[in-house]
Amino acid sequence: MGKRLPTMPTLKNVANLAEVSIPIVSKVLSGNPGVRVSSDTRQRILKAAEGLAYRPNALAKSLKLKRTNTLALFMPDVGNPVIPEIIRGVEDGARAAGYSPFISHLDEKVISERLYLAWLQEGRFDGLIIATARVEDSIIADLISSGLPFVLVNRREASTNMHVSIDDAAGARIAVNHLAGLGHRRIAHLAGPLMYDTSLRRLKGYQQELDLHGITYDSSLVQEYDWHTWDGGKLAMKQLLKRENPPTAIFAGNFMGAVGALSALKEARLKVPEEISLICLHDSPIAEVLDPPLTVVRMPLHQMGKCAAEMLINLLEDRPCKIPLVLPPDGLFIRKSTAPCR
Amino acid sequence: MGKRLPTMPTLKNVANLAEVSIPIVSKVLSGNPGVRVSSDTRQRILKAAEGLAYRPNALAKSLKLKRTNTLALFMPDVGNPVIPEIIRGVEDGARAAGYSPFISHLDEKVISERLYLAWLQEGRFDGLIIATARVEDSIIADLISSGLPFVLVNRREASTNMHVSIDDAAGARIAVNHLAGLGHRRIAHLAGPLMYDTSLRRLKGYQQELDLHGITYDSSLVQEYDWHTWDGGKLAMKQLLKRENPPTAIFAGNFMGAVGALSALKEARLKVPEEISLICLHDSPIAEVLDPPLTVVRMPLHQMGKCAAEMLINLLEDRPCKIPLVLPPDGLFIRKSTAPCR
DNA sequence: TGACCATGGGAAAACGATTGCCCACGATGC
DNA sequence: GCATCGTGGGCAATCGTTTTCCCATGGTCA
């Protein structure tokens, strides 16, 4: 069904036009330096290819070469403002090595259908970068046992060392240290879904740093929230504000949560940072235009993406992998949402 | 270079295991209903395929069939919050028709290298959806003359009717009408880069509606801004506030601009909506958590994406195309950033 | 018993590219 | 004058599928 619109020129067409054989055209056009060819023949081929606007068919080439030079990048949620950073990092890493990354946006349905596994098995891509925490463990296990090349981003897995993540605990500690340094003692934590190891590590960092400052951990100051939505943080913040003894500072596990929390604080007529301080992990250009601009611990998302691409490509090209598995946070970016505790 | 990690099973392997020929395996597995095969053979083949976890090689299949069932979606900027909506729309449209969309994030470099044209010419994708206004006209012209199947999103082009967009002028008029209905007369317009026809149409709609309400158009109330960045709107808003007779209402051309404008207004200690009203085109979940939540004219971005996919697939499958080229706005969503003019 | 038919399944070509091998040719060496 | 050698370029196989065509085989009918 369906007319095939324009027919692309093939090697055969070029060969006919240049009055030579197909293989020699291939050799000349693929620029193989070792090929010996008379300059006359070369010119004829080049002219013919140019005239026909010839482009090698990627499918045929990849089939023969068993290499597509493409990567698939699986993203959970393009709406999350931290995602673009990662995407750009992957792109930079991949393109520098001659690979083209293609992004696939995974909604629940696709995740459950294991389409990504299929794409890899079907040879459409050389490798896979998975940047979604939502993928089930069982599927990761399948992926590992299939032996197919993939890298996990922002998610660690004991059974493989193909993953890159950021030191969440360290990030959390920087945030809490900042808050504690400002004199805050009742520091709440808006924690991402605790089914994700990333959230768990942030929580642990929060606890550790509290401990270091001699603040006893109060689990009622930890409120889990849904970080897939913008108002997950808002709902959680409202919960937290219901306490009889509300916190003087909030450490939000991610950016979306902080924005939601800020919204809740405003509805509650609490002044940020005068009455309550707010800090979060991750940065985003939006942080600058919020009221007040958000103090954040910036995480090296771009670098994480880039490392993931490099790691994967190293694997694909059978080179030793010397990429760090865990990246340190970029550090504190103080804007206007945190202030000394009154 | 590079070890080829796991070797995927092929039709040949399945055929060997089932002790039949390759073609019959292909026929059975591709589920062609017309194929007549004994149930014994069928069972053996199915079992063998299952046992080997066979998956057809997409490259070989596409090469033979001249159809990949994939679409490439070119996005300008995944950081822009309106983009995810479009992406999801395209996905819905494509998947419903059995196509997989792959997103490529186009930065300036890629745009200038005309990679997208290459990908299409190389047969990697069946068609292309271009959702970036930034692509140069000359490249669009190339694309058209190449005869390759593509659809333009949110951009009109006289030389092709393969495009889907939203009625920007109508959206602008709804916004201005709302503001005028609240009694505002000095309504400023934060206009996107006027090199884009989309921005131009919004400006025109703004002018028309002003006219309808008997308000004379004052070009000094129109401030162009860069809508690729979050603080483009902020800078523009600051410009506007320098006037001796500042506007009482702002109509921002897009969401990012409105967020930036809101930021500038806060810095200037202007109360929204008490002292100045703000409305924009496009909606985003973030609009809810801003302070105040933004009143917007919602545009059918999801539907636009979906229509684009359907239009492209209709073209690919040689079906008549009955998709509307221009979609009406979804309408006004009143939140809290607009109020009667004092 | 011989002709016919339906049925199941295989042979081969094709998609477009790459590559190892080999051959023809003219030039060179003895 | 004969063997050798290097050079330019073609042959053929291959990657993994799909699809058209055709051939066995065995059963049915006269």
Side-chain angles (χ1 to χ4, degrees), chain B residues 138-156:
Chain B
S138 73
I139 292 181
I140 302 289
D142 281 2
L143 216 38
I144 292 174
S145 74
S146 77
L148 263 8
F150 75 103
V151 168
L152 254 22
V153 169
N154 214 15
R155 167 178 181 151
R156 305 181 195 171

Side-chain angles (χ1 to χ4, degrees), chain B residues 21 23-24 27 36-38 41 63-64 66:
Chain B
S21 71
I24 193 66
K27 288 170 192 166
R36 319 202 56 78
V37 66
S38 74
T41 306
L63 176 60
K64 180 65 181 160
K66 292 185 176 308

Side-chain angles (χ1 to χ4, degrees), chain A residues 200-276:
Chain A
L200 247 19
R201 290 194 301 267
R202 288 172 195 175
L203 176 59
K204 184 172 279 179
Y206 161 81
Q207 292 170 330
Q208 288 175 336
E209 193 66 19
L210 245 32
D211 200 48
L212 220 65
H213 288 270
I215 303 172
T216 51
Y217 169 67
D218 174 359
S219 71
S220 75
L221 279 173
V222 173
Q223 181 72 44
E224 196 173 345
Y225 74 103
D226 177 13
W227 68 16
H228 302 123
T229 69
W230 283 94
D231 55 23
K234 187 168 181 175
L235 295 173
M237 191 67 235
K238 281 183 179 168
Q239 280 306 113
L240 231 32
L241 290 176
K242 282 187 190 152
R243 304 183 76 231
E244 71 289 359
N245 192 10
T248 64
I250 313 290
F251 160 51
N254 84 347
F255 182 76
M256 291 175 89
V259 175
L262 189 57
S263 172
L265 292 172
K266 292 200 172 173
E267 281 190 9
R269 305 257 169 258
L270 280 167
K271 288 196 164 146
V272 181
E274 293 82 356
E275 297 174 275
I276 189 163

Side-chain angles (χ1 to χ4, degrees), chain A:
Chain A
M1 98 198 76
K3 68 178 169 208
R4 286 275 57 73
L5 307 126
T7 302
M8 289 290 127
T10 70
L11 228 33
K12 189 171 176 181
N13 300 325
V14 178
N16 286 154
L17 186 57
E19 298 181 297
V20 290
S21 72
I22 293 177
I24 193 65
V25 177
S26 170
K27 288 170 190 165
V28 168
L29 292 183
S30 57
N32 191 323
V35 64
R36 319 202 55 76
V37 66
S38 72
S39 92
D40 170 59
T41 306
R42 177 184 298 278
Q43 292 314 316
R44 283 217 315 282
I45 291 174
L46 259 23
K47 197 164 129 279
E50 170 92 25
L52 293 172
Y54 168 79
R55 303 255 17 183
N57 180 298
L59 262 22
K61 189 169 185 161
S62 297
L63 177 60
K64 178 68 178 148
L65 263 31
K66 292 185 177 310
R67 199 153 42 79
T68 66
N69 278 325
T70 60
L71 264 28
L73 171 58
F74 284 4
M75 284 306 181
D77 178 15
V78 278
N80 185 326
V82 307
I83 297 297
E85 270 300 288
I86 302 180
I87 292 181
R88 277 188 266 264
V90 169
E91 282 176 341
D92 288 349
R95 290 216 228 276
Y99 285 73
S100 296
F102 289 96
I103 305 161
S104 188
H105 178 223
L106 290 192
D107 60 17
E108 315 295 341
K109 203 181 69 211
V110 182
I111 290 181
S112 64
E113 285 179 5
R114 313 194 167 198
L115 271 185
Y116 40 96
L117 224 183
W119 283 325
L120 213 48
Q121 291 174 319
E122 291 171 3
R124 232 190 267 279
F125 299 99
D126 291 343
L128 196 55
I129 297 178
I130 300 182
T132 167
R134 278 195 255 187
V135 175
E136 298 163 29
D137 288 343
S138 74
I139 292 181
I140 301 289
D142 281 1
L143 217 38
I144 291 174
S145 74
S146 77
L148 263 8
F150 75 104
V151 168
L152 253 21
V153 169
N154 215 16
R155 167 178 181 151
R156 305 181 196 170
E157 198 67 38
S159 40
T160 170
N161 60 354
M162 295 305 292
H163 53 80
V164 187
S165 59
I166 297 175
D167 192 336
D168 293 293
R173 293 177 60 173
I174 293 173
V176 173
N177 179 54
H178 172 62
L179 260 15
L182 289 169
H184 294 279
R185 311 276 303 171
R186 280 203 313 290
I187 301 173
H189 177 37
L190 255 31
L194 294 176
M195 55 174 294
Y196 300 146
D197 57 344
T198 291
S199 306
L200 247 19
R201 290 194 301 267
R202 288 172 195 175
L203 176 59
K204 184 172 279 179
Y206 161 81
Q207 292 170 330
Q208 288 175 336
E209 193 66 19
L210 245 32
D211 200 48
L212 220 65
H213 288 270
I215 303 172
T216 51
Y217 169 67
D218 174 359
S219 71
S220 75
L221 279 173
V222 173
Q223 181 72 44
E224 196 173 345
Y225 74 103
D226 177 13
W227 68 16
H228 302 123
T229 69
W230 283 94
D231 55 23
K234 187 168 181 175
L235 295 173
M237 191 67 235
K238 281 183 179 168
Q239 280 306 113
L240 231 32
L241 290 176
K242 282 187 190 152
R243 304 183 76 231
E244 71 289 359
N245 192 10
T248 64
I250 313 290
F251 160 51
N254 84 347
F255 182 76
M256 291 175 89
V259 175
L262 189 57
S263 172
L265 292 172
K266 292 200 172 173
E267 281 190 9
R269 305 257 169 258
L270 280 167
K271 288 196 164 146
V272 181
E274 293 82 356
E275 297 174 275
I276 189 163
S277 287
L278 178 61
I279 191 172
C280 70
L281 252 37
H282 293 157
D283 198 5
S284 161
I286 316 177
E288 305 258 15
V289 292
L290 289 175
D291 172 44
L294 245 40
T295 293
V296 303
V297 177
R298 191 180 286 176
M299 302 295 251
L301 297 167
H302 184 279
Q303 197 195 344
M304 178 167 67
K306 193 170 173 191
C307 285
E310 288 170 355
M311 180 180 279
L312 181 57
I313 293 170
N314 278 344
L315 172 65
L316 291 174
E317 303 192 345
D318 204 19
R319 259 174 288 151
C321 179
K322 47 184 196 324
I323 307 287
L325 296 175
V326 178
L327 272 19
D330 284 333
L332 191 62
F333 278 71
I334 301 179
R335 295 201 182 92
K336 302 211 188 304
S337 67
T338 52
C341 184
R342 292 187 312 180

Side-chain angles (χ1 to χ4, degrees), chain B residues 59-285:
Chain B
L59 263 21
K61 189 169 184 161
S62 297
L63 176 60
K64 180 65 181 160
L65 262 32
K66 292 185 176 308
R67 201 154 40 81
T68 65
N69 277 325
T70 60
L71 264 29
L73 171 57
F74 285 5
M75 283 306 180
D77 178 14
V78 277
N80 185 325
V82 307
I83 297 298
E85 270 301 288
I86 302 180
I87 292 181
R88 277 188 266 265
V90 170
E91 282 175 341
D92 288 348
R95 291 215 229 275
Y99 285 73
S100 296
F102 290 96
I103 305 161
S104 187
H105 178 224
L106 290 191
D107 60 16
E108 314 295 341
K109 203 180 72 213
V110 181
I111 291 180
S112 65
E113 284 178 6
R114 313 193 168 202
L115 273 185
Y116 41 96
L117 223 184
W119 282 325
L120 214 47
Q121 290 175 319
E122 292 171 1
R124 231 189 268 277
F125 299 99
D126 290 343
L128 197 56
I129 297 179
I130 300 181
T132 166
R134 279 195 254 187
V135 175
E136 297 163 30
D137 287 344
S138 73
I139 292 181
I140 302 289
D142 281 2
L143 216 38
I144 292 174
S145 74
S146 77
L148 263 8
F150 75 103
V151 168
L152 254 22
V153 169
N154 214 15
R155 167 178 181 151
R156 305 181 195 171
E157 198 69 38
S159 40
T160 168
N161 58 355
M162 295 305 291
H163 53 80
V164 187
S165 59
I166 297 175
D167 192 336
D168 294 293
R173 292 177 61 175
I174 292 172
V176 174
N177 179 55
H178 173 62
L179 260 16
L182 289 168
H184 294 279
R185 310 275 302 170
R186 280 202 313 290
I187 301 173
H189 177 36
L190 254 33
L194 294 176
M195 55 174 295
Y196 300 146
D197 56 345
T198 290
S199 305
L200 248 19
R201 289 193 301 267
R202 289 173 194 175
L203 176 58
K204 184 172 281 180
Y206 161 79
Q207 292 171 331
Q208 289 175 335
E209 193 66 20
L210 245 31
D211 200 47
L212 221 64
H213 288 270
I215 303 172
T216 52
Y217 170 67
D218 175 359
S219 71
S220 75
L221 280 173
V222 173
Q223 182 72 43
E224 195 172 347
Y225 73 103
D226 177 12
W227 67 15
H228 302 122
T229 70
W230 283 93
D231 54 24
K234 186 167 182 174
L235 295 172
M237 191 68 234
K238 281 184 178 165
Q239 280 306 114
L240 231 32
L241 290 176
K242 282 188 188 150
R243 304 183 76 231
E244 71 289 358
N245 192 9
T248 63
I250 312 291
F251 160 51
N254 83 347
F255 182 76
M256 291 176 89
V259 175
L262 190 57
S263 172
L265 292 172
K266 294 201 171 173
E267 281 190 9
R269 305 256 168 259
L270 281 167
K271 287 196 166 147
V272 180
E274 294 82 355
E275 296 175 276
I276 189 163
S277 287
L278 177 61
I279 191 172
C280 69
L281 251 37
H282 294 157
D283 199 6
S284 162

